[in-house]
């Protein structure tokens, strides 16, 4: 396969090899059909007179015809990702757009530019782009393509086109207004079910996120105490003769336990914590998607009501209503399909993540 | 150790009971009494079992016994008692003396103490110890009648000796250093172990929360439901397993604690040696100065400055009769002094010999016991890991079925 060999010879500095990417993400149609590979790495700090910000390198390799070239390398900052997300939401209001890492973390003493924060964000951004690439609809979005391929100045000028700030604000106002109106009357049963499910799911996933963080913290505290425990035995062995060897043996075993604990912690922070966090964000996204669907349906319903009250201009209304009905149906279908897909993904993610946690614990105890 | 009591008699501290009574100041107090049961070990030829004898003792009586033994056998490393108050606790354990776990561990410690004394070649022959085991009434009076409190050395005297002794046996000095090191390292180890136990407890218990949330989550899932539910159950098992694990570790901690307290017993023997040595040095010094005085008086020369000498020079010398009398007294004292010095020397040498013999015995016992304790600790850790492997293997299976 030419694309794979090209990738291998591209640059030795690419940190994530395509084969490991294949292992990380589930492919609906099998790995052979994946034709878009994206990596996010190499955070760099930029200092200007006005601000300091970080850019990330986004590398894309593809065999798709729509792309002029098979390799692209661009630099993007967090703002650009935000732009992409909002464009996708605009274009596909009832599709489940993957979550972006938060702007900043309120709790904790994480500095905006600490290495830990940047690395967590980088991994999340990488995930974000790849989830889009995996999505059967979103992957062909034009803005997505521009995001991956345009040079910095090209992207800026492209951003300036399209609905301005005011119209976007208008959208938001309408959305708020419709949500204030309360639950939609004619919501199909299915979406109410999804809504109920999401409420409970959101609660549970938030709890799991907290629990996982707590476990990580307890393990770190345990590790810190263990670090002191081993050397005491070595110190003791210095005063003894007969039992010196036994004591030294125990000291070295304790040190090995320490290292195993470190590995276990790393496993948690690399796999479990990011996934749980992603799904915490997902549950917020899903609630918004459901609201937007409701909002679209709300538009339809209010027009239908208006029609019932006004017998004149029936034809005009009918056409509008027809269009709205189409819109609602499209939205519903899109959401349904995406929901099924999301659920499957979630199941797969949870299964593999928790299995991974169990395996890590097994290795820990075996060691 | 053919003759030691432990071989002839089974000794157990089998029960503990809360009691209330009036103490020496006629104030109502609550205390715990321990039941000591003894039974003579019959030789194999006789099929019958001897009857069990028993009596109740409280902790303060154990203390009295130990004080008596320490004073009466200063050359022996006397086994220590379990701690008076709970030390080195981690948060789950209570520091309350009435707490049932503490009482239980103390019961085991007291039994251990009695067994150690009973298996000691010298201590097991002591009559007071035997009476402690067999005679409930009047034991305290019996102990006090021995007058052992009078034989006890004052702490101040001992401290003074430690600083001023010039020529202690080097082995005892080394032993003292060793016991200081042992005490410091074991107490440090126990402190850190308690903290580690605390943290480990936290890790395990938080996993229990998984169990609850998984179970709630499984209610809304269709395909994932079963896997989540059973995985949650395993998380609960995991969280609960830490209680037994840490309780076992407490026994290990108690074994180390015994040797922490043994360090104090070692130091007591060293102090006794220093005291005797200092006594000896002082007696020798005293003798030398008396001999010198005598010589000066006899020859009329004053070699050393003394106020008496000066005053007698100033106010006239003594009469020859006075001088003769003084010399006579001094000669008698010197005679006594030489005899005393001889016997002190002998005492000192005997002490060193027998103390060192017991110290060698102690060293062997210590090495054996500590090695076994360390091994059992390792075994505990292995068993903990095996349990962990089992739980997580099960959990993994449940997860993969989600």
């Amino acid at each position: 396969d030419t694309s794979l060999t090209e990738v291998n010879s591209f640059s030795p500095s690419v940190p994530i090899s395509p084969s490991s990417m294949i292992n990380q993400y589930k492919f609906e149609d099998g790995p052979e059909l994946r034709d878009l590979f994206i990596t996010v790495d190499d955070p760099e700090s930029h200092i200007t007179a006005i601000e300091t910000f970080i850019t990330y390198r986004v590398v894309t390799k593809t065999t798709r015809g729509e792309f002029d070239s098979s390799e692209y390398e661009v630099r993007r900052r967090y703002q650009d990702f935000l732009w992409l997300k909002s464009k996708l939401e605009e274009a596909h209001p009832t599709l489940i757009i993957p979550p972006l890492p938060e702007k900043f973390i309120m709790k904790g003493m994480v500095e905006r530019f600490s290495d830990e924060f940047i690395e967590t964000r980088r991994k999340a951004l990488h995930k974000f782009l790849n989830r889009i690439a995996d999505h059967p609809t979103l992957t062909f979005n034009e803005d997505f393509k521009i995001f991956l391929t345009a040079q910095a100045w090209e992207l800026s000028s492209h951003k300036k086109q399209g609905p301005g700030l005011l119209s976007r604000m208008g959208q938001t106002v309408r959305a708020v207004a419709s949500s204030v109106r309360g639950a939609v009357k004619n919501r199909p049963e299915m979406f109410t079910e999804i809504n109920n499910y999401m409420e409970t799911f959101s609660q549970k996933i938030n709890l799991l996120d907290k629990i996982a963080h707590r476990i990580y913290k307890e393990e770190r505290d345990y590790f810190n105490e263990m670090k002191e425990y081993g050397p005491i035995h070595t110190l003791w062995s210095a005063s003894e003769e007969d039992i010196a060897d036994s004591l030294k043996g125990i000291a070295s075993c304790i040190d090995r336990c320490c290292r195993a604990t470190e590995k276990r912690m790393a496993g948690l922070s690399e796999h479990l914590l990011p996934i749980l966090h992603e799904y915490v964000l997902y549950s917020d996204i899903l609630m918004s998607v459901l609201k937007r669907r409701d909002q679209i349906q709300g538009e339809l319903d209010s027009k239908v009501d208006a029609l019932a009250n006004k017998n004149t201009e029936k034809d005009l209304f009918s056409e509008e209503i027809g269009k709205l009905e189409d819109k609602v149906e499209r939205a519903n279908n899109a959401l349904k399909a995406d929901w099924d897909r999301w659920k499957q993904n979630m199941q797969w993610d949870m299964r593999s993540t928790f299995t991974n946690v169990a395996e890590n614990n097994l290795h820990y105890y075996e060691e | 150790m053919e003759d030691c009591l432990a071989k002839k008699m089974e000794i157990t501290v089998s029960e503990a009971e809360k009691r209330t009574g009036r103490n020496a100041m006629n104030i109502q107090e609550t205390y715990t009494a321990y039941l000591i049961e003894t039974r003579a070990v019959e030789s194999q030829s006789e099929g019958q079992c001897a009857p069990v004898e028993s009596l109740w003792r409280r902790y303060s009586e154990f203390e009295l016994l130990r004080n008596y033994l320490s004073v009466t056998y200063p050359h022996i490393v006397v086994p220590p008692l379990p701690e008076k108050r709970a030390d080195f606790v981690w948060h789950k354990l209570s520091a309350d003396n009435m707490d049932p776990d503490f009482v239980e561990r103390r019961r085991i410690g007291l039994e251990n103490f009695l067994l150690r004394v009973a298996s000691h070649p010298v201590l097991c022959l002591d009559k007071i110890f035997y009476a402690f085991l067999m005679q409930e009434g009047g034991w305290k009076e019996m102990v006090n009648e021995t007058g052992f409190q009078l034989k006890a050395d004052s702490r101040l005297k001992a401290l003074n000796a430690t600083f001023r002794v010039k020529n202690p046996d080097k082995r005892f000095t080394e032993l003292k250093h060793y016991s200081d090191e042992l005490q410091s390292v074991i107490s440090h180890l126990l402190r850190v172990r308690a903290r580690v136990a605390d943290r480990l407890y936290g890790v395990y218990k938080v996993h229990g929360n998984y169990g609850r949330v998984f179970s709630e989550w499984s209610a809304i899932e269709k395909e994932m439901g079963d896997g989540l539910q059973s995985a949650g159950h395993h998380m609960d098992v995991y969280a609960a397993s830490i209680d037994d694990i840490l309780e076992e570790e407490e026994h290990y901690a108690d074994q180390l604690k015994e040797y922490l307290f043994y360090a104090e017993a070692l130091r007591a023997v060293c102090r006794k040696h220093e005291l005797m040595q200092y006594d000896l040095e002082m007696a020798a010094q005293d003798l030398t100065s008396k001999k010198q005085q005598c010589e000066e008086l006899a020859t009329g020369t004053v070699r050393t400055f003394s106020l008496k000498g000066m005053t007698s020079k100033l106010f006239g010398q003594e009469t020859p009769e006075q001088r003769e009398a003084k010399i006579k007294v001094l000669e008698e004292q010197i005679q006594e002094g030489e005899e005393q010095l001889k016997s002190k020397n002998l005492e000192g040498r005997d002490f060193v010999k027998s103390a060192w013999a017991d110290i060698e015995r102690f060293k062997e016992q210590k090495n054996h016991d500590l090695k076994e304790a360390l091994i059992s600790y390792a075994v505990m850790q292995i068993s903990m890991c095996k349990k962990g492997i089992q739980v997580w293997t099960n959990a993994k299976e449940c997860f993969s079925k989600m």
Side-chain angles (χ1 to χ4, degrees):
Chain A
D1 186 50
T2 49
S3 69
L4 283 178
T5 50
E6 267 179 58
V7 158
N8 284 331
S9 62
F10 174 64
S11 159
S13 70
V14 172
I16 301 175
S17 75
S19 52
S20 78
M21 278 169 27
I22 289 174
N23 287 334
Q24 271 186 314
Y25 301 104
K26 175 180 176 243
F27 294 85
E28 279 106 284
D29 308 309
E32 323 84 56
L33 294 178
R34 197 179 207 215
D35 56 4
L36 190 65
F37 296 91
I38 308 175
T39 57
V40 175
D41 60 18
D42 191 31
E44 243 175 43
S45 169
H46 297 255
I47 309 178
T48 71
I50 314 169
E51 54 175 351
T52 312
F53 60 90
I54 307 264
T55 62
Y56 302 84
R57 182 174 74 157
V58 178
V59 175
T60 310
K61 296 177 191 99
T62 179
T63 55
R64 282 194 201 159
E66 316 87 87
F67 287 76
D68 294 331
S69 163
S70 59
E71 298 152 9
Y72 292 92
E73 183 180 320
V74 296
R75 289 224 142 241
R76 296 284 175 252
R77 56 184 289 191
Y78 183 73
Q79 262 179 27
D80 301 330
F81 285 84
L82 278 175
W83 169 84
L84 175 62
K85 183 164 158 80
S86 69
K87 295 298 283 180
L88 290 173
E89 280 171 353
E90 232 178 86
H92 307 280
T94 58
L95 286 188
I96 303 170
I97 315 292
L100 273 179
E102 288 119 321
K103 254 179 158 7
F104 42 75
I105 303 176
M106 295 309 303
K107 63 170 179 174
M109 310 298 265
V110 180
E111 275 244 348
R112 221 176 117 226
F113 293 119
S114 85
D115 287 341
E116 204 186 307
F117 177 77
I118 293 174
E119 176 59 15
T120 312
R121 182 177 264 198
R122 182 200 68 75
K123 282 199 275 211
L125 293 174
H126 175 96
K127 200 90 191 281
F128 171 72
L129 291 179
N130 276 285
R131 285 220 189 260
I132 298 176
D134 282 346
H135 195 287
T137 312
L138 296 176
T139 190
F140 297 111
N141 180 282
E142 191 57 33
D143 291 312
F144 182 50
K145 176 160 171 266
I146 292 176
F147 178 92
L148 292 175
T149 59
Q151 287 307 305
W153 59 269
E154 286 175 323
L155 184 63
S156 301
S157 75
H158 176 79
K159 276 195 203 178
K160 292 201 176 90
Q161 305 163 17
L165 187 63
L166 285 173
S167 91
R168 279 208 296 277
M169 276 175 64
Q171 261 182 8
T172 319
V173 168
R174 277 204 298 281
V176 170
S178 68
S179 69
V180 166
R181 245 200 314 265
V184 168
K185 293 170 288 194
N186 300 321
R187 184 195 283 158
E189 176 76 24
M190 176 181 121
F191 295 113
T192 308
E193 269 176 32
I194 297 182
N195 204 315
N196 292 340
Y197 172 88
M198 279 317 298
E199 268 177 26
T200 312
F201 179 85
S202 164
Q203 217 187 48
K204 299 311 161 197
I205 203 75
N206 268 287
L207 279 175
L208 285 178
D209 182 56
K210 286 203 185 77
I211 293 172
H213 273 102
R214 180 77 192 279
I215 289 182
Y216 182 81
K217 175 184 170 299
E218 294 283 343
E219 276 193 25
R220 197 187 49 216
D221 289 341
Y222 171 72
F223 171 72
N224 284 335
E225 297 295 350
M226 281 293 263
K227 270 197 300 195
E228 222 190 299
Y229 195 38
I232 298 178
H233 292 80
T234 312
L235 184 67
W236 187 1
S237 71
S239 321
E240 298 287 343
E241 284 161 17
D242 247 40
I243 56 176
D245 286 336
S246 312
L247 286 168
K248 282 194 222 155
I250 294 217
S252 83
C253 287
I254 294 179
D255 286 338
R256 279 181 65 189
C257 286
C258 275
R259 286 199 291 275
T261 304
E262 258 184 318
K263 263 199 237 170
R264 182 161 79 157
M265 274 164 46
L268 273 186
S269 92
E270 263 176 47
H271 296 119
L272 184 64
L273 295 182
I275 287 263
L276 287 179
H277 192 67
E278 201 191 5
Y279 277 90
V280 166
L281 296 174
Y282 254 129
S283 51
D284 287 339
I285 288 171
L286 269 151
M287 296 308 260
S288 322
V289 168
L290 287 170
K291 279 213 184 83
R292 283 204 288 271
R293 191 217 68 85
D294 282 350
Q295 184 200 330
I296 292 174
Q297 175 154 350
E299 276 175 41
L300 170 65
D301 287 349
S302 67
K303 277 284 178 337
V304 167
D305 282 348
L307 176 64
N309 294 336
K310 288 186 185 162
N311 279 313
T312 56
E313 301 158 353
K314 219 198 260 191
D315 293 333
L316 207 67
F317 264 120
S318 303
E319 209 190 307
E320 257 190 79
I321 285 176
K323 277 203 204 130
L324 281 173
E325 277 174 352
D326 278 343
K327 186 175 180 194
V328 167
E329 187 166 336
R330 274 202 314 272
N332 286 350
N333 288 339
L335 177 55
K336 183 176 184 310
D338 216 23
W339 165 254
D340 285 338
R341 186 179 162 274
W342 180 86
K343 273 233 53 196
Q344 267 205 342
N345 273 351
M346 185 271 283
Q347 226 169 286
W348 190 88
D349 279 341
M350 289 298 158
R351 182 175 64 227
S352 81
T353 298
F354 279 109
T355 310
N356 178 279
V357 166
E359 259 191 49
N360 281 348
N361 276 302
L362 277 180
H363 289 145
Y364 166 75
Y365 279 115
E366 274 161 16
E367 239 174 283
Chain B
M1 280 210 287
E2 284 309 309
D3 294 340
C4 79
L5 196 60
K7 290 258 157 79
K8 294 195 206 142
M9 183 191 277
E10 268 173 39
I11 307 176
T12 52
V13 176
S14 52
E15 274 170 49
E17 215 176 72
K18 251 212 263 225
R19 298 258 180 96
T20 44
R22 293 203 170 273
N23 67 5
M25 292 175 285
N26 213 27
I27 297 173
Q28 187 92 316
E29 59 167 7
T30 321
Y31 63 91
T32 313
Y34 300 87
L35 182 66
I36 303 179
E37 288 182 331
T38 50
R39 175 167 63 194
V41 172
E42 298 291 305
S43 51
Q44 303 92 318
S45 52
E46 302 177 40
Q48 271 187 340
C49 252
V52 170
E53 313 231 3
S54 64
L55 45 73
W56 293 88
R57 293 265 183 234
R58 54 184 292 191
Y59 187 81
S60 56
E61 291 174 283
F62 279 87
E63 277 184 315
L64 184 58
L65 173 65
R66 188 174 189 274
N67 285 341
Y68 162 78
L69 290 174
S70 307
V71 170
T72 317
Y73 303 91
H75 58 289
I76 301 284
V77 182
V78 179
L81 284 171
E83 52 196 352
K84 208 172 164 77
R85 266 165 288 278
D87 249 338
F88 305 111
V89 288
W90 54 282
H91 88 274
K92 191 201 163 209
L93 290 188
S94 101
D96 172 23
N97 282 6
M98 290 292 152
D99 177 70
D101 282 332
F102 177 77
V103 168
E104 173 60 16
R105 289 188 11 252
R106 182 184 260 195
R107 181 194 68 75
I108 296 173
L110 291 175
E111 184 176 291
N112 190 49
F113 167 74
L114 291 179
L115 289 173
R116 289 247 192 242
V117 175
S119 26
H120 191 283
V122 173
L123 297 178
C124 72
L125 302 170
D126 186 273
K127 296 275 182 303
I128 299 282
F129 173 60
Y130 189 77
F132 181 85
L133 294 174
M134 307 299 288
Q135 178 188 321
E136 184 144 25
W139 177 79
K140 266 206 205 149
E141 289 75 12
M142 199 175 165
V143 180
N144 288 329
E145 269 166 31
T146 62
F148 80 94
Q149 276 109 342
L150 301 170
K151 287 194 235 159
D153 301 313
S154 85
R155 271 234 84 143
L156 195 61
K157 215 169 136 201
L159 199 61
N160 189 39
T162 305
F163 284 125
R164 295 205 181 166
V165 69
K166 296 203 184 87
N167 267 330
D169 185 315
K170 281 222 167 43
R171 293 178 296 174
F172 284 94
T173 317
E174 273 170 27
L175 187 65
K176 213 164 63 140
H177 285 151
Y178 169 74
S179 71
D180 285 339
E181 280 169 11
L182 188 69
Q183 182 172 45
S184 130
V185 89
I186 292 187
S187 58
H188 191 195
L189 195 151
L190 286 172
R191 258 198 311 275
V192 176
R193 192 209 70 87
R195 290 204 300 258
V196 167
D198 216 2
R199 293 303 173 192
L200 195 62
Y201 184 78
V203 171
Y204 272 75
K205 284 300 179 192
V206 180
H207 278 85
N209 290 334
Y210 271 151
R212 187 176 47 89
V213 179
F214 279 173
S215 166
E216 290 166 5
W217 183 8
S218 72
I220 57 171
E221 295 290 341
K222 296 195 184 64
E223 291 126 358
M224 290 208 303
D226 287 337
L228 273 177
Q229 178 88 317
S230 31
H233 162 74
H234 291 298
M235 292 294 101
D236 286 334
V237 169
Y238 182 69
S241 67
I242 191 68
D243 293 312
D244 286 341
I245 291 171
L246 287 179
E247 204 186 291
E248 255 198 281
E249 266 198 32
E250 280 311 308
H251 291 297
Y252 168 69
D254 283 339
Q255 286 174 297
L256 291 185
K257 263 187 231 174
E258 197 195 8
Y259 278 92
L260 176 68
F261 302 141
Y262 254 125
E264 182 55 42
L266 274 179
R267 262 210 297 279
V269 176
C270 295
R271 270 202 303 269
K272 182 69 183 175
H273 165 76
E274 282 169 351
L275 196 65
M276 289 179 82
Q277 179 67 16
Y278 179 68
D279 230 14
L280 188 69
E281 287 170 7
M282 285 291 103
Q285 206 179 334
D286 191 51
L287 190 64
T288 314
S289 98
K290 283 209 162 76
K291 282 190 179 162
Q292 219 171 41
Q293 269 182 27
C294 203
E295 203 200 307
E296 286 169 13
L297 278 179
T299 60
T301 57
V302 179
R303 246 185 266 150
T304 56
F305 174 82
S306 79
L307 194 59
K308 201 144 176 250
M310 276 331 297
T311 51
S312 57
K313 270 212 159 134
L314 288 171
F315 297 110
Q317 283 197 331
E318 320 157 290
T319 64
E321 293 82 20
Q322 282 176 321
R323 219 168 48 201
E324 280 302 321
K326 271 210 188 119
I327 290 178
K328 194 122 193 245
V329 165
L330 274 176
E331 275 177 353
E332 269 174 35
Q333 285 179 342
I334 288 172
Q335 178 92 322
E336 265 177 51
E338 290 208 318
E339 273 173 32
Q340 259 189 22
L341 194 62
K342 226 202 267 180
S343 74
K344 278 203 164 116
N345 248 313
L346 205 63
E347 253 181 61
R349 275 205 297 272
D350 278 344
F351 178 88
V352 166
K353 193 164 130 204
S354 51
W356 206 254
D358 196 52
I359 286 165
E360 291 296 333
R361 181 205 62 82
F362 169 77
K363 277 193 193 163
E364 261 191 56
Q365 174 197 299
K366 170 204 75 153
N367 287 334
H368 173 263
D369 288 346
L370 286 179
K371 207 178 233 173
E372 270 196 22
L374 292 173
I375 290 176
S376 81
Y377 184 65
V379 168
M380 268 184 244
Q381 298 302 306
I382 292 177
S383 134
M384 174 174 93
C385 290
K386 283 211 177 119
K387 282 190 206 159
I389 289 179
Q390 197 180 46
V391 164
W392 285 100
T393 308
N394 291 339
K396 180 174 164 188
E397 218 189 288
C398 297
F399 286 135
S400 57
K401 290 205 190 115
M402 275 178 15

